[in-house]
Amino acid sequence: ALYGLAAGTFPKSQEAWEALLHPEDRRQATAAVEKAFESDGTIEEEWRVVWPDGSVHWLAGRFRVLRDKDNKPLSLTGVNFDISARKEVEEAMRRQAELIDLSPNAIITCTFEGGIKTWSKGAEKLYGWTAEEAIGQRTHSLLRTEFPEPLEKILERLAAESNWTGKLIHTARDGRKVSVQSYWRAEEVSKTPEILESNVDITALLEREEQYRLFVKASSQLVWTTNAVGEVHEEAPVVRVVRVER
């Protein structure tokens, strides 16, 4: 069944077995067999097979050579496992990682204790550490996170509601203070709770808002801001209007 063949029809020669292998994996699979004859231990390898109906399936093999008292090979024995489902999950995770790396946001996954498990290209660019340098470290120790409220309360809310968002201040590798709008989501991966964290850099936005507030404070003119429908919004300018009374 692992090779898509009816019971009793599995080939008994290595050449016929090789013909069932995916052309791209044939060399590595046969190399593993050759290695088994040179080794006294168990050899493990993974490869694809092409069924008679044209479908492709993943197998894992463990095998070893049985030898006589003079250490001469007698036979090759082993077992194959269908790992197609595992490979599908791995491929889905690989594609998800690629999509995450396309995002300009700093996307991090970590344990509830803060241990970093993944670190996106956006995180590398924003903070300055590579994934190899960041993974395994404690996220809030590495970034010297400044929270709007105690971390314990944030984690309690996250555990209860599965989501949290707020403004954080991080310190990049070069010492820059980085303000982010942070979005957290609690997930369970392999029965282990994790946090998916997406950070949007709002440093420049906050700086512009502060400059605008200072301008308003220093101005002797009457200044206000409105949104697109004319409602006054001093804290979230969309359309800026300056009126000078004479």
Side-chain angles (χ1 to χ4, degrees), residues 3 16 24-25 27 36-37 51 61 104 110 118 218-219 230 241 243:
Y3 288 82
E24 295 179 3
D25 296 348
R27 178 177 294 181
F37 280 96
W51 283 18
C110 61
T118 66
S219 177
V241 179
R243 178 180 175 183

Side-chain angles (χ1 to χ4, degrees), residues 164-198:
W164 178 85
T165 183
K167 292 180 181 179
L168 303 175
I169 299 175
H170 290 148
T171 301
R173 184 172 192 166
D174 59 7
R176 289 177 296 111
K177 291 289 186 178
V178 180
S179 297
V180 300
Q181 186 67 37
S182 191
Y183 302 87
W184 295 12
R185 186 175 72 199
E187 296 184 334
E188 190 168 289
V189 179
S190 299
K191 299 183 179 180
T192 301
E194 293 183 355
I195 299 172
L196 174 62
E197 179 179 339
S198 179

